[in-house]
Structure formats: C-alpha cells, structure tokens
Amino acid sequence: MKPATKYIHAGSHPDPSTGAIMTPIYQTSTYVQEAPARHKGFEYARSQNPTRTALEEAFAIIENGKYGLAFSSGVGATDAVIKLLNAGDEVVCGNDMYGGTYRLFTKVFSRLGIIFKFIDTTKPANVEQAISNKTKLVWLETPTNPLMNVSDIAAIAAITRPKNILLAVDNTFASPALQNPLDLGADIVMHSVTKYLGGHSDVIQGALMMNDAELREKLYFIQKSCGAVPGPMDCFLVLRGIKTLGVRMKAHCENGRIIAQWLRSHPKVAKVYWPGFEGHPGHAVAKKQMKDFGGMLSFELKNDNIEEAKRVLSSTHLFSLAESLGGVESLINHPASMTHASIPREERMKNGLTDGLIRLSVGIEDADDLIEDLNKAIG
Ligand SMILES: *Cc1c(COP(=O)(O)O)cnc(C)c1O
C-alpha cells in the first residue's frame, strides 16, 4: 500500500458494536470482567485501551514497522528506551539534539549511573570510535533540532548491528512521510507525536515503533509499569491528525523550500540551515535517506547579536513566537533562550548553536503571506 493510502486507513476499523467509521474515544479506566481473569483482552486502561490500540497499530504501519507504542509525550517515549538499560551501560549520542532529550540524559539518567557520550554523529567513523564494550545503545536525531545536521542511518546501523548494539532514531523532524529509519536498519524509531504526527498543535504525545517482538515486549512492560500512557482523547486526535500527514508534509516541504531559498537571497541573512541546499554538509545523505527536506529550518542574521534576533522574533505576525513545531501554523523560535536553554552556553557555542540563531517551523499557509511577514520583520 502506498503511504498516502496508509495514512488514511492505518489502524481504522469500523467499531464492532455500531459500525462507527471513526474509532470511538473509549474514555474509561477499567473494564468489567465476566469472571476473575476472564475478559476481552482489556483489564485496566494503563495497560490497554482500544483507542490507543488502534493508534498503536497505525504507528506501526506508517513507520513500516511491526509494532507501535504510544506514550504521554515524546520525552516519555525516550525515557522508556533508556529504561531498557542498566547502571554502567553506555549510550553514544549526537552532540546536537533536542534540549529536553539532553536534559533527560544528563540530569536524570546520568544520576542513575547511565553514561552518555556526546559526539558528532554526522561522521559514522566517530560513532565506531566512541563505541566501547559497555555501549548498549546509539541514540540518533536526524535531521537535528535546530541545526539540521544529518547523520547516515544505514551507515551507522551497519556499525551497531553486528555488535548487537541497539540503534534508536528520533525521527520527529522528518516525520514518517519523509524518512523511515526501520527500513534503514534502525531498531527503534521515536517520535514526538506532538509535532508532525498530531500536526495541529493540540496534543502532547510520543511514539515508539519497532520490528522485534522481544524488544516490543520489553518496551510494553516499561510502558505499563512506568505509566507514561496517553489518554484516549489524545489518541483520537492523533488518529485524526495522521490521516492528513501526507498532504500536510507535501505542503510543509514546498513552503520550506520557498522560504529557505528566499531567506538565502535576503541581504540581511548570513546563513540558512536547510538540508535541501547542495552546499549543506548533510545534503547527499539527506537526499539518499529522505524523500524531501521538510519544513524546518534555522538562520542567522549578518548582524548577529541577541538584540537584533529578539527584534525579529518579536516582529512577525503570522509566525507565532512559540516553542514546538510541526503544526499547520508557522512558528518562530529562539533556541538559545527557549527550546535549548537547558544546554549550557559553552556547549551550545561549541556545536554552532549561536545566540542569534532563529528557528522556523514553516506551516502550510500561503508562502507569499509568510514571505511578506518575514520580510517586514527582518526589515
Ligand atoms: C519536541 C521534541 C521532543 C520531545 O517531545 P515532547 O512531545 O515535547 O515530549 C523530542 N525530540 C524532538 C526532535 C522534538 O522536537
């Protein structure tokens, strides 16, 4: 089945009791049993909920995986992956990642004895070099938030697989419409569903997708034992969001391309980070592993100081100043003081995340209106 069809039908079955075409919101905490331990597969809603089951089926299908699991947030999903490990185990991960992931790794799991090595994963040889006999997991984000760095998933899977090291990929920025890490050899895909999968800035949710049954059992055990499960209403909203993923991503990519090119030609703009440019260091890999380049981009002004960046950030009208991304409406964000404020300045600067960097989540409004808005703000 082609992706556009999958997005409409994945996880959708007429409701067995009424034939309702849309999955009902099973707003219940428990299920009546016929006799002790005799039930229809549903005992307690932290462990099972039919709305969530439908969504988890959809998650698996849209990432070409066998299994999907839904979590109450993206970091809740990441948290479950790290809980596969034991104290003393090592994780090799990228040095440019979502600030909340960095905070979870360095402030929570480091304390519990898990060791994180932050490296430049855009060169697979660096990953090979960083792996030791204690390494149990490689955590990749590609493209990265906010610098749009690209790592070669297939090349890194070729390093981890023979060593029995798990490879997990945060696929939030690309969405399943542009990149499918399981097909490239990853063991686990993670999504902040809050972003492109939900697509309408009205829900916080996370997802994990995988192919291995044993891995699915371990992650399901963590999901129900630790309890970061989404409510049925949120699952319903995401089931609805996924139906338009194909058309939304086409529009995001089209607008992203137009805005990236327009910004690059603007006399006051110094640099645009967008993997669709041939000069982007990750362009060749992005072209190989992604279907298109998405609606996320960052840029720096020639007048690179925090005051000038703040002036632009406060002057747009269609681009709302807000954290998050991936909704139909355009957002503008200042990583240094907002999404990435939890990364120490020195660390940020080392990786090229400057004080003046501005990140855009390009929505699906008319591109002419978006350009006019940015043009007035940049001045
Ligand atoms: C937002 C985001 C997360 C965290 O997801 P939440 O749903 O906010 O918990 C993780 N990774 C990336 C790339 C993100 O953009």
Side-chain angles (χ1 to χ4, degrees):
M1 204 183 280
K2 297 269 171 49
T5 314
K6 278 195 201 177
Y7 301 141
I8 312 290
H9 294 281
S12 284
H13 309 285
D15 176 48
S17 61
T18 64
I21 190 163
M22 288 301 136
T23 308
I25 302 165
Y26 285 90
Q27 194 75 48
T28 187
S29 60
T30 192
Y31 309 87
V32 177
Q33 308 198 4
E34 288 153 34
R38 215 169 80 209
H39 52 75
K40 301 184 165 75
F42 297 94
E43 296 149 290
Y44 185 62
R46 176 158 33 76
S47 306
Q48 313 98 357
N49 179 287
T51 318
R52 195 173 94 212
T53 305
L55 176 61
E56 290 179 335
E57 185 189 329
F59 281 161
I61 291 169
I62 64 176
E63 272 295 5
N64 302 332
K66 285 209 181 98
Y67 308 102
L69 291 170
F71 292 83
S72 54
S73 69
V75 291
T78 304
D79 174 87
V81 174
I82 306 302
K83 283 175 178 160
L84 291 167
L85 309 181
N86 296 307
D89 289 347
E90 277 179 13
V91 181
V92 170
C93 45
N95 56 10
D96 170 33
M97 56 160 64
Y98 175 67
T101 308
Y102 181 84
R103 183 174 59 193
L104 177 68
F105 288 0
T106 56
K107 297 276 163 63
V108 180
F109 282 112
S110 288
R111 212 162 32 74
L112 302 178
I114 292 171
I115 298 146
F116 296 88
K117 286 188 183 167
F118 296 94
I119 62 155
D120 174 6
T121 55
T122 62
K123 294 184 183 63
N126 293 349
V127 176
E128 179 129 51
Q129 213 175 11
I131 287 173
S132 79
N133 58 8
K134 288 189 188 149
T135 308
K136 295 285 153 55
L137 172 75
V138 171
W139 181 271
L140 279 189
E141 197 180 301
T142 180
T144 61
N145 179 357
L147 290 171
M148 309 304 296
N149 287 319
V150 176
S151 293
D152 188 331
I153 299 169
I156 294 171
I159 297 167
T160 53
R161 182 125 308 183
K163 298 185 202 290
N164 279 326
I165 295 169
L166 288 173
L167 175 60
V169 178
D170 180 340
N171 201 29
T172 300
F173 262 40
S175 92
L178 305 185
Q179 179 171 278
N180 301 112
L182 296 177
D183 291 346
L184 300 166
D187 299 290
I188 302 171
V189 174
M190 175 265 165
H191 280 280
S192 170
V193 173
T194 313
K195 317 294 168 53
Y196 287 111
L197 290 179
H200 296 76
S201 307
D202 54 7
V203 68
I204 294 278
Q205 196 177 101
L208 297 177
M209 295 83 161
M210 68 246 49
N211 276 318
D212 185 77
E214 207 178 311
L215 187 58
R216 188 262 170 201
E217 280 318 299
K218 286 183 187 165
L219 288 164
Y220 171 63
F221 180 80
I222 293 168
Q223 181 199 39
K224 74 173 180 188
S225 303
C226 299
V229 292
M233 174 74 191
D234 285 356
C235 293
F236 172 86
L237 286 171
V238 174
L239 276 165
R240 184 156 92 155
I242 288 172
K243 289 184 192 293
T244 55
L245 180 68
V247 286
R248 282 189 287 111
M249 287 314 293
K250 254 188 219 158
H252 282 297
C253 290
E254 203 177 295
N255 278 356
R257 176 175 281 107
I258 293 169
I259 303 280
Q261 284 166 350
W262 177 82
L263 277 172
R264 189 163 71 165
S265 67
H266 195 286
K268 288 194 178 168
V269 172
K271 189 166 178 188
V272 182
Y273 297 84
W274 180 66
F277 288 135
E278 264 171 41
H280 185 285
H283 178 71
V285 176
K287 214 169 147 181
K288 182 179 71 166
Q289 71 187 12
M290 296 174 72
K291 294 191 183 78
D292 205 339
F293 305 107
M296 293 303 299
L297 56 95
S298 297
F299 67 98
E300 280 161 11
L301 299 166
K302 282 190 181 144
N303 183 3
D304 181 34
N305 69 67
I306 200 151
E307 292 315 314
E308 178 62 4
K310 279 189 176 160
R311 189 192 62 75
V312 172
L313 284 150
S314 317
S315 308
T316 54
H317 298 286
L318 283 176
F319 281 86
S320 300
L321 178 61
E323 299 196 2
S324 200
L325 60 108
V328 290
E329 59 284 299
S330 293
L331 300 180
I332 191 165
N333 165 50
H334 184 226
S337 70
M338 295 167 68
T339 44
H340 292 66
S342 54
I343 302 175
R345 183 169 188 272
E346 199 182 319
E347 277 301 305
R348 266 202 291 111
M349 298 297 278
K350 252 198 317 209
N351 305 326
L353 202 170
T354 59
D355 289 336
L357 190 82
I358 295 173
R359 189 188 80 181
L360 299 180
S361 170
V362 180
I364 64 171
E365 300 94 335
D366 189 284
D368 291 342
D369 291 332
L370 294 179
I371 286 177
E372 192 187 322
D373 192 39
L374 286 173
N375 200 28
K376 279 190 187 145
I378 296 171

